[in-house]
């Protein structure tokens, strides 16, 4: 492993997978800035339109658990080409949607393609990368998935203000064409699985019902508490059934035994909370800029661009520091910056002094923390696992990552719909995030005291 070198085709394959994932993940949030416009065009509410993002993320969380099975049945090249064509077709058609139901359906189809390709990058990086570069390339892989949602609103805001919301999809469709050609040329096709495991459809169906009822229940929690409680009870029942069913399988859909590993569990939870917060802020902040500060969709997207770019630069650098010095410095500093930046947002909201300059500064500070900690927390969570557990761990982490994104989006949309004042609702959301990040960062930092 130490002497292994990456060929040009390996690098080309990485660019192909990474490029498709980048556009797929960016499109998770690119419509966030267009919610008011879409609500007007389709004669509905912002809360309803937010399901364009929620349905996308929820579908991802349902499809991603299949990745471990698919990876054992099909080669990386076959999975990539199928996912690319599927995503490309849905994206092009979405740019010509005639009504809201059609757009929702196409968003779900987009997410199916994205959900297939999303976990591929981690398995591919583990396969082609020399060990001494693993932290760096895992940092780049996490960067793509972690930063693309932050760049999505910027892209969406610029395109919406200058062209139309349809152009968000039409322009994005160019990248899958390029990645399809590059992937077909560079990805190796000779690796074929020797043995095909059994696909447990019942297990996947139980998991899907759990995820759907969980997200629906959380959405209704502040609007229809009784309905929400019933949905959450159903969700809990299906979770228990899924756990018991998984224990009886030799090759479960998601390997929940990984959660018994304390190192994996505490770092995985921290990773999930950062993801939830980041995706939720990407809904909250553009909405706040438009509805409270009365700026355009383009400005609401551009205001988070500096922070997203800084985080993009820091992610691979922090991965390099992980390879050279270990995780203590980057994860500790990043976690502290995450908590401080959100606490400053809360103070500014409380005293009603949260203007666009402070928003940009605090978001930059927050994204610096994300750049230092986010990818390294994920890499750290799997570092002590055996090689044969890596694919299962990546599947579990990626599933949880998308679920957290869906929960964060639903949570913010629900609070904004119930609390009339954008300032008060924003304060409530940010304070909750400060507490969550603070509580989860304690065990992550404490592990370095040994």
């Amino acid at each position: 492993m130490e002497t292994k070198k990456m060929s040009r085709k390996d690098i080309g394959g990485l660019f192909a997978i990474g490029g498709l994932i980048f556009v797929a993940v960016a499109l998770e949030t690119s419509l966030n800035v267009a919610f008011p416009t879409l609500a007007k065009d389709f004669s509905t509410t912002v809360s309803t339109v937010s399901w364009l993002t929620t349905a996308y993320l929820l579908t991802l969380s349902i499809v991603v658990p299949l990745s471990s099975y698919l990876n054992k049945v099909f080669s990386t090249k076959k999975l990539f080409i199928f996912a690319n064509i599927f995503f490309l077709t849905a994206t092009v058609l979405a740019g010509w949607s005639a009504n809201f139901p059609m757009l929702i359906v196409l968003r779900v189809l987009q997410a199916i393609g994205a959900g297939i390709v999303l976990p591929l990058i981690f398995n591919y990086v583990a396969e082609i990368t020399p060990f001494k570069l693993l932290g760096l390339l895992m940092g780049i892989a996490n960067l793509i998935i972690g930063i693309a949602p932050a760049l999505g609103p910027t892209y969406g805001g610029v395109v919406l203000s200058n062209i139309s919301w349809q152009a968000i999809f039409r322009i994005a469709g160019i990248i899958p064409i390029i990645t399809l050609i590059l992937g077909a040329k560079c990805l190796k096709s000779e690796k074929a699985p020797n043995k095909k495991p059994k696909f447990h459809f019942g297990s996947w169906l139980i998991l899907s019902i759990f995820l759907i009822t969980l997200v629906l229940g959380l959405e209704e929690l502040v609007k229809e508490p009784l309905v929400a409680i019933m949905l959450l009870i159903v969700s809990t029942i299906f979770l228990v059934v899924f756990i018991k069913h998984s224990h009886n399988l030799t090759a479960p859909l998601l390997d929940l035994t990984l959660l018994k590993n304390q190192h994996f569990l505490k770092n995985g939870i921290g990773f999930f909370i950062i993801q939830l917060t980041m995706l939720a802020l990407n809904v909250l902040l553009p909405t706040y800029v438009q509805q409270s500060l009365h700026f355009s969709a383009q400005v609401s997207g551009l205001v988070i661009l500096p922070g997203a770019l800084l985080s993009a630069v820091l992610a691979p650098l922090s991965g390099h520091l992980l390879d050279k010095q270990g995780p203590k410095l980057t994860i500790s500093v990043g976690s502290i910056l995450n908590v401080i930046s959100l606490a400053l947002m809360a103070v500014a909201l409380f005293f009603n002094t949260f203007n666009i300059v402070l928003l940009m500064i605090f978001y930059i500070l927050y994204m610096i923390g994300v750049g230092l900690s986010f990818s390294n927390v994920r890499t750290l969570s799997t570092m002590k696992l055996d090689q044969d557990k890596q694919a299962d761990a990546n599947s579990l982490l990626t599933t949880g990552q998308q679920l957290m994104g869906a929960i964060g989006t639903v949570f913010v949309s629900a609070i904004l719909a119930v609390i009339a004042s954008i300032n008060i609702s924003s304060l409530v959301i940010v304070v909750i995030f400060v507490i969550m990040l603070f509580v989860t960062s304690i065990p992550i930092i404490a592990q370095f005291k040994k």
Side-chain angles (χ1 to χ4, degrees):
M1 189 73 171
E2 290 288 350
T3 58
K4 183 179 177 182
K5 294 183 179 180
M6 295 174 63
S7 68
R8 289 185 178 181
K9 282 198 170 184
D10 288 336
I11 297 172
L14 184 60
F15 270 103
I17 297 174
L20 181 59
I21 289 176
F22 183 85
V23 69
V25 177
L27 283 178
E28 287 180 6
T29 56
S30 59
L31 291 184
N32 292 354
V33 296
F35 285 171
T37 301
L38 287 163
K40 183 179 179 181
D41 286 358
F42 292 124
S43 300
T44 186
T45 64
V46 170
S47 179
T48 300
V49 168
S50 70
W51 269 94
L52 290 170
T53 296
T54 303
Y56 191 95
L57 291 165
L58 184 56
T59 304
L60 281 176
S61 65
I62 293 171
V63 175
V64 165
L66 299 174
S67 63
S68 182
Y69 168 80
L70 293 174
N71 194 58
K72 294 171 184 175
V73 175
F74 301 103
S75 67
T76 298
K77 185 171 185 176
K78 286 183 178 179
L79 285 175
F80 173 79
I81 290 176
F82 175 81
N84 199 314
I85 293 173
F86 205 89
F87 179 83
L88 172 60
T89 303
T91 300
V92 171
L93 291 176
W96 303 95
S97 297
N99 51 58
F100 185 70
M102 179 180 176
L103 186 55
I104 278 281
V105 170
L106 289 170
R107 286 288 278 174
V108 170
L109 295 179
Q110 268 187 325
I112 292 174
I116 293 172
V117 75
L118 203 55
L120 285 183
I121 192 165
F122 298 105
N123 299 329
Y124 187 71
V125 166
E127 179 185 336
I128 68 168
T129 307
F131 185 76
K132 62 181 180 180
L133 296 176
L134 186 60
L136 174 62
L137 288 198
M138 279 294 184
I140 294 173
N142 281 300
L143 156 70
I144 292 169
I145 295 176
I147 304 308
L151 295 175
T154 302
Y155 163 73
V158 172
V159 174
L160 176 66
S161 296
N162 293 283
I163 310 176
S164 66
W165 66 262
Q166 291 93 338
I168 294 174
F169 296 106
R170 295 171 187 174
I171 296 173
I174 297 172
I175 295 179
I177 296 173
I178 298 171
T179 57
L180 179 61
I181 297 170
L182 187 61
K185 182 179 179 180
C186 295
L187 290 172
K188 299 174 183 177
S189 57
E190 68 269 18
K191 183 184 176 183
N194 297 321
K195 179 164 89 167
K196 294 184 179 181
K198 181 180 178 182
F199 174 58
H200 301 283
F201 177 79
S203 184
W204 177 73
L205 183 61
I206 294 167
L207 177 63
S208 299
I209 295 173
F210 156 66
L211 294 171
I212 292 170
T213 51
L214 173 62
V215 173
L216 289 175
L218 292 172
E219 186 199 27
E220 296 294 330
L221 199 57
V222 292
K223 295 184 291 185
E224 297 288 344
L226 185 59
V227 175
I229 291 171
M230 293 176 63
L231 285 168
L232 292 175
I233 290 173
V234 172
S235 178
T236 303
I237 292 172
F238 275 91
L239 174 61
V240 172
V241 173
F242 176 74
I243 292 172
K244 289 186 175 180
H245 184 64
S246 296
H247 282 321
N248 297 325
L249 301 176
T250 54
L253 196 63
L254 290 177
D255 188 358
L256 299 179
T257 61
L258 289 166
L259 299 177
K260 295 179 181 180
N261 184 313
Q262 293 298 311
H263 180 83
F264 176 82
L265 180 62
K266 61 189 172 186
N267 289 293
I269 291 175
F271 173 73
F272 294 151
I273 296 301
I274 297 174
Q275 168 74 359
L276 185 151
T277 307
M278 184 166 58
L279 266 290
L281 284 177
N282 287 338
V283 175
L284 176 63
L285 296 184
T287 303
Y288 184 87
V289 170
Q290 290 182 64
Q291 295 187 1
S292 183
L293 301 182
H294 308 295
F295 286 95
S296 67
Q298 179 168 314
V299 173
S300 71
L302 289 173
V303 75
I304 64 177
L305 179 60
L309 292 177
L310 266 175
S311 186
V313 172
L314 283 173
L317 291 178
S318 67
H320 181 66
L321 286 173
L322 176 68
D323 292 328
K324 296 295 183 181
Q325 299 183 5
K328 181 177 180 179
L329 175 64
T330 56
I331 292 178
S332 297
V333 173
S335 299
I336 292 169
L337 285 177
N338 286 339
V339 174
I340 290 175
S341 57
L342 288 183
L344 290 173
M345 286 187 193
V347 171
L349 283 166
F350 182 78
F351 288 103
N352 198 26
T353 58
F354 198 38
N355 56 45
I356 197 165
V357 175
L358 286 178
L359 187 152
M360 184 179 292
I361 292 172
F362 295 158
Y363 186 74
I364 287 173
L365 188 63
Y366 170 76
M367 291 304 287
I368 289 174
V370 169
L372 290 172
S373 63
F374 184 64
S375 64
N376 282 358
V377 170
R378 174 166 184 156
T379 304
L380 182 64
S381 67
T382 61
M383 268 188 167
K384 294 185 179 181
L385 298 177
D386 294 335
Q387 187 64 35
D388 61 349
K389 290 289 185 180
Q390 292 294 324
D392 290 322
N394 285 327
S395 179
L396 187 58
L397 287 170
T398 309
T399 300
Q401 183 179 8
Q402 301 311 316
L403 177 61
M404 289 300 107
I407 290 173
T409 302
V410 165
F411 174 74
V412 169
S413 300
I415 295 293
L416 291 175
V418 171
I419 302 178
S421 171
I422 185 76
N423 290 66
I424 296 175
S425 58
S426 300
L427 176 61
V428 170
I429 293 167
V430 172
V431 168
I432 291 173
F433 289 160
V434 171
I435 296 171
M436 290 171 63
L437 282 173
F438 179 73
V439 170
T440 54
S441 65
I442 291 174
I444 293 175
I445 296 175
Q447 69 187 320
F448 302 128
K449 293 182 179 180
K450 296 178 181 179

